[in-house]
Amino acid sequence: MTDDGIDFPPGEGPSSGVSVTLTAGTLRAIRERVGKRGVFAYLGRAARRQLERDRLDELIAAFEEVPGPADPEAVAAKRARLTGEDSGAGTAA
């Protein structure tokens, strides 16, 4: 949650500055791929992908705790949580 009380999902909200230390080789590889001005956006996308993977790992672990077939409504809710979308009608399994 931000100072103004708004809870933004990953990839949304105003930008905030942060200092990140990378190895020289990693930074060089990123700059070669996206240019000097694209580093911030590249790192933002990489962080969002990692958050998605972390959430997916958590969801898989939760499903492995409960034996049996998955409940379609629970799958839709988990998918919505993972993707940050509404789990309403029209969500395909």
Side-chain angles (χ1 to χ4, degrees):
M1 193 170 288
T2 62
D3 291 339
D4 57 6
I6 299 172
D7 189 13
F8 295 104
E12 300 296 325
S15 295
S16 296
V18 62
S19 176
V20 177
T21 302
L22 301 170
T23 63
T26 299
L27 184 56
R28 179 191 45 76
I30 292 170
R31 284 181 174 155
E32 286 174 357
R33 186 168 294 272
V34 300
K36 192 173 187 177
R37 301 196 74 174
V39 173
F40 179 80
Y42 185 89
L43 292 176
R45 288 190 308 271
R48 286 189 300 277
R49 274 194 308 276
Q50 185 60 48
L51 288 167
E52 290 171 358
R53 289 179 181 144
D54 292 347
R55 281 189 239 119
L56 181 57
D57 288 343
E58 293 166 2
L59 293 173
I60 290 169
F63 275 123
E64 288 176 347
E65 290 177 11
V66 181
D71 172 22
E73 289 182 18
V75 171
K78 299 286 186 181
R79 179 179 289 120
R81 186 170 151 218
L82 175 66
T83 61
E85 297 174 0
D86 183 12
S87 62
T91 304

